[in-house]
Amino acid sequence: MKKINLLFTSIIALFALNAIGQNKIILHTDAASSKINKEIYGHFAEHLGNCIYGGIYVGDTSNIPNTHGYRNDVVNALKEMKIPVLRWPGGCFADTYHWKDGVGPQNERASIVNVHWGGVTEDNSFGTHEFLDFCELINTEAFISLNVGSGTVRESSEWIEYVTSNNKSPMTDLRKKNGREDPWNVKFWGVGNETWGCGGEMTAEYYSDIFRQYAGFARGASYKVACGASDSNYDWTEVLMKKTQNKQHLIQGLSLHYYTITHDWSHKGSATNFTEEEWFTTLSKTLVMEELLTKHSTIMDKYDPEKKIGLVVDEWGNWFDVEEGTNPGFLYQQNTLRDALVAGINLNIFNNHADRVHMTNIAQAINVLQSVILTKDDKMVLTPTYYVFKMYAVHQDATLIPLNLKSENYKLNGDSIPAINASASTKNGVVSITLCNLNPNKSAVTELTLTGQNFSSATAQIITSQKMADFNDFGKEEKVTTTEFNIQKPKNGNLKVEIPSKSVVLIQLK
Ligand code: AHR
C-alpha cells in the first residue's frame, strides 16, 4: 500500500515539477523506508604502494607519533570521519595472500614479493592481528577478502576459524599462542576478488561452483560476498544469481567494481591538470553508476525479489595516471575538488539505491587512487574526498527519503548532464539533504518542497573552492574544506537555496 501511495504522490509530484522552476526537489519525508546501511560509507585498504606501510602502519619504533605502530594522525582522522567498515588485504593482493605468512612473531614472518603492485618486498609485518586490532582502534567493522585465486578451501576456512571461533581447535590454539585470547567479531568476508581477472581468470560458471564450495566451508562467516561483475558485465551477475538461487545461506552479498576512468586504461588523464572537457567527462562517467546499479539490481530482483542479497560495490572511485616521479605500481594520485564531486555524486546514488546496496568501499583509504588521506613522512593531508565522507556521515544508518528531482542541464560542446544530484535521509527527527552542483560555471537556484513534516530551522555546510582543480597540499593552507553555508529558514514546507557552482552541500532541517 505504501508503495502504491508513493507511486501516486510521485506521479503528482512529476506534474508539479514540470510546472515550476528550473531546479526542483520534492522530498517525501512521510515515505522514508529503506535504511542506509552505515557500511555504504566504507573504505578499502590494500597492500599496495603506501596504503598500509607508511599510510596506516609505521611500526612502533618509528619517529612518527604512533600507537602500537599505527599513525596517530591517521587514526584520529579516520575516527572523526566515522569510518564504518574497512576492506583488506586486497584487491589483487588478496589473490596472492597466504594469511599464515602474516601471523606469529613479526621477525619470523616470511617475506614475499608483491607481484601485482611494483614487485616490492612485502615483509608481512602487517597481518591479521595488526589489521583487526587497527579496526578495533578506529572502531570500524572489518571486511576480509579470502584468497580464492591462488589459495585453497582449507586455507580460507582455517582463516575464518582463526579469527572468529571460540571453540578449542588447532587454529584457535594458534591464535592464542600469537597473543589473542578472544575471537574478533568479523562479519564480512569476500569470497575471492575479481575472479574474472587477477583473481583467477575464471568464467562466471566455473567461479559460481567454486564460490559455493568456499562459502559452504566458510562456517563463522555470517555475511559472505561473492565476487561480482565489473562495470556492465550483466552476464556475470545473471550467472552468479542463477547458480546461487535458493542458496541464501551461502550468499549474502554480490560485489560490483566500477572505476571512473576519464579517458581509457592506457591514458587515464591527470588528477590535477585537467580541462573543463575532462571535468565534464569525469562527472558524466560517474553518473553511469546510476545505470549500473539499476541494471544489476534488476537482474538480482529476478532471482531475489525480497532483496535479501546485497549489492556490495567494494571498489569504486576515480582512477587517474600516477603523479609524476612516483612508482607506477603504487597508484598514487592527488585529489581535487573534482574528486569531491565524484564522491558526492556516487554516495548520493548509493543512498538512493539503499534497498539493494548494502555496502560500498571507495578505493582506497590512504595514498592510493581516490584517497581520503595522503601522507608524506610525518605529514598528512585530508583530501576533498575526506571532507565529503565526513559531511555525508549524517546519512549513516539513517532512513532514506525518496525524492523527485528536476534539474537543469549542464551543457558542454553539445553534450549535457543534469547539473544537480541529490539524496536525503532522516534520523532522530533531523532531515539531511546532500546536493551536488556539477556545473563549474553557474550556481543553481533550487526549490525544495518537503511533504509530511514541518520544519522551523535550517543549517547548511558547503565544500567548494575557487578553481575546479584546487587540492590540498602538504605544508600549505587547505584550499578545499568544509565551511558553513547560510540559507533561509523553510516556510510552509518550502525552501529556496542557491547552490554555488562546483560544490557539494549539506542542508539539515529540524
Ligand atoms: O584498487 C586497485 C585494484 O583495482 C585492485 O587491487 C583490484 O581489485 C582492482 O582491479
Side-chain angles (χ1 to χ4, degrees):
M1 192 60 188
K2 207 167 184 180
K3 275 205 172 137
I4 294 173
N5 281 341
L6 179 60
L7 184 70
F8 183 68
T9 45
S10 294
I11 292 169
I12 300 283
L14 281 175
F15 280 116
L17 279 176
N18 284 325
I20 27 180
Q22 278 297 298
N23 301 301
K24 178 92 188 164
I25 303 176
I26 299 181
L27 294 121
H28 306 276
T29 56
D30 46 352
S33 60
S34 301
K35 183 180 166 200
I36 300 174
N37 280 354
K38 69 179 194 302
E39 286 81 16
I40 283 183
Y41 289 83
H43 293 258
F44 170 32
E46 177 165 11
H47 288 240
L48 194 177
N50 293 117
C51 184
I52 302 289
Y53 301 110
I56 291 175
Y57 193 67
V58 287
D60 55 9
T61 55
S62 170
N63 291 332
I64 299 172
N66 68 84
T67 304
H68 307 305
Y70 310 111
R71 295 179 69 120
N72 290 344
D73 51 359
V74 168
V75 165
N76 292 334
L78 291 176
K79 277 165 93 171
E80 262 196 48
M81 189 189 71
K82 295 199 169 63
I83 180 169
V85 62
L86 186 60
R87 177 176 183 244
W88 173 86
C92 296
F93 179 79
D95 305 312
T96 57
Y97 185 63
H98 300 283
W99 69 272
K100 283 185 187 161
D101 291 345
V103 296
Q106 282 179 326
N107 58 1
E108 290 173 20
R109 295 185 192 172
S111 282
I112 59 161
V113 176
N114 190 334
V115 289
H116 286 294
W117 305 118
V120 294
T121 300
E122 161 64 58
D123 71 2
N124 278 307
S125 54
F126 190 95
T128 302
H129 289 247
E130 289 74 20
F131 171 64
L132 294 174
D133 292 349
F134 178 61
C135 289
E136 286 185 345
L137 187 65
I138 61 171
N139 192 24
T140 195
E141 302 268 356
F143 173 20
I144 296 181
S145 298
L146 298 165
N147 178 356
V148 171
S150 67
T152 63
V153 175
R154 177 173 180 177
E155 191 182 354
S156 283
S157 66
E158 285 188 343
W159 198 4
I160 298 166
E161 183 184 321
Y162 184 92
V163 168
T164 63
S165 176
N166 227 339
N167 296 329
K168 181 166 170 47
S169 75
M171 288 307 110
T172 56
D173 284 348
L174 182 62
R175 183 187 73 220
K176 289 176 190 171
K177 187 170 149 230
N178 289 335
R180 174 79 184 200
E181 191 61 29
D182 296 325
W184 290 275
N185 179 16
V186 179
K187 179 175 163 195
F188 302 108
W189 296 83
V191 183
N193 167 72
E194 299 196 345
T195 49
W196 37 261
C198 66
E201 299 287 352
M202 300 174 196
T203 62
E205 287 76 11
Y206 179 74
Y207 169 65
S208 303
D209 290 339
I210 297 272
F211 167 77
R212 287 168 56 145
Q213 186 188 8
Y214 271 74
F217 287 99
R219 292 186 193 91
S222 54
Y223 193 106
K224 295 173 284 293
V225 182
C227 170
S230 172
D231 308 353
S232 58
N233 185 351
Y234 301 115
D235 288 346
W236 185 280
T237 300
E238 180 82 43
V239 173
L240 259 290
M241 289 303 295
K242 190 174 186 174
K243 293 197 84 174
T244 55
Q245 200 175 11
N246 303 323
K247 294 275 173 200
Q248 275 171 5
H249 61 293
L250 296 181
I251 181 168
Q252 289 77 42
L254 178 64
S255 74
L256 171 68
H257 288 183
Y258 175 66
Y259 285 99
T260 305
I261 312 286
T262 300
H263 295 281
D264 56 54
W265 283 100
S266 60
H267 160 55
K268 296 182 279 298
S270 162
T272 53
N273 187 6
F274 54 86
T275 59
E276 188 181 342
E277 281 73 17
E278 287 170 303
W279 163 281
F280 184 94
T281 307
T282 307
L283 300 191
S284 30
K285 289 193 172 182
T286 300
L287 291 168
V288 169
M289 184 65 90
E290 172 66 42
E291 177 184 327
L292 294 176
L293 296 189
T294 304
K295 291 191 174 167
H296 284 290
S297 298
T298 304
I299 298 167
M300 293 176 80
D301 287 350
K302 207 161 82 179
Y303 298 97
D304 172 33
E306 289 174 39
K307 296 186 192 289
K308 289 195 176 139
I309 300 171
L311 191 53
V312 174
V313 190
D314 57 8
E315 288 187 28
W316 65 270
N318 273 327
W319 192 325
F320 297 116
D321 290 334
V322 297
E323 295 302 328
E324 230 176 278
T326 65
N327 187 329
F330 281 15
L331 309 186
Y332 177 81
Q333 65 192 41
Q334 248 295 355
N335 196 293
T336 66
L337 180 60
R338 177 174 58 165
D339 293 83
L341 269 295
V342 167
I345 294 167
N346 272 309
L347 292 170
N348 281 335
I349 295 173
F350 298 146
N351 285 345
N352 289 328
H353 284 266
D355 59 342
R356 181 59 87 178
V357 175
H358 285 186
M359 186 193 326
T360 89
N361 309 81
I362 187 171
Q364 300 192 6
I366 298 154
N367 294 328
V368 172
L369 301 178
Q370 192 179 342
S371 302
V372 287
I373 294 174
L374 301 175
T375 64
K376 193 194 275 172
D377 306 321
D378 62 344
K379 294 187 203 67
M380 177 183 82
V381 155
L382 301 177
T383 67
T385 302
Y386 176 90
Y387 287 109
V388 172
F389 270 86
K390 195 171 168 201
M391 175 185 267
Y392 276 55
V394 292
H395 291 305
Q396 291 189 19
D397 283 342
T399 310
L400 178 74
I401 297 176
L403 53 81
N404 297 95
L405 166 66
K406 182 193 168 207
S407 168
E408 62 194 342
N409 280 330
Y410 161 34
K411 295 183 188 150
L412 192 72
N413 302 335
D415 289 325
S416 67
I417 51 177
I420 300 293
N421 171 276
S423 71
S425 70
T426 176
K427 189 155 109 181
N428 304 328
V430 180
V431 165
S432 302
I433 308 153
T434 42
L435 300 135
C436 300
N437 182 357
L438 283 57
N439 193 325
N441 308 312
K442 192 169 165 278
S443 65
V445 176
T446 306
E447 289 171 43
L448 294 124
T449 302
L450 297 118
T451 64
Q453 200 180 331
N454 288 322
F455 301 93
S456 53
S457 78
T459 55
Q461 297 173 5
I462 185 165
I463 298 167
T464 189
S465 194
Q466 266 189 330
K467 299 193 190 113
M468 291 183 286
D470 277 349
F471 60 90
N472 298 334
D473 206 357
F474 296 97
K476 298 192 181 145
E477 203 184 318
E478 279 187 333
K479 282 189 177 161
V480 192
T481 186
T482 311
T483 53
E484 292 304 310
F485 179 53
N486 284 329
I487 54 169
Q488 301 160 357
K489 276 187 186 171
K491 247 194 231 149
N492 305 324
N494 293 309
L495 183 66
K496 204 176 200 177
V497 194
E498 183 167 354
I499 307 165
S501 64
K502 52 177 168 18
S503 69
V504 182
V505 167
L506 164 69
I507 297 173
Q508 292 200 285
L509 304 172
K510 274 202 284 207

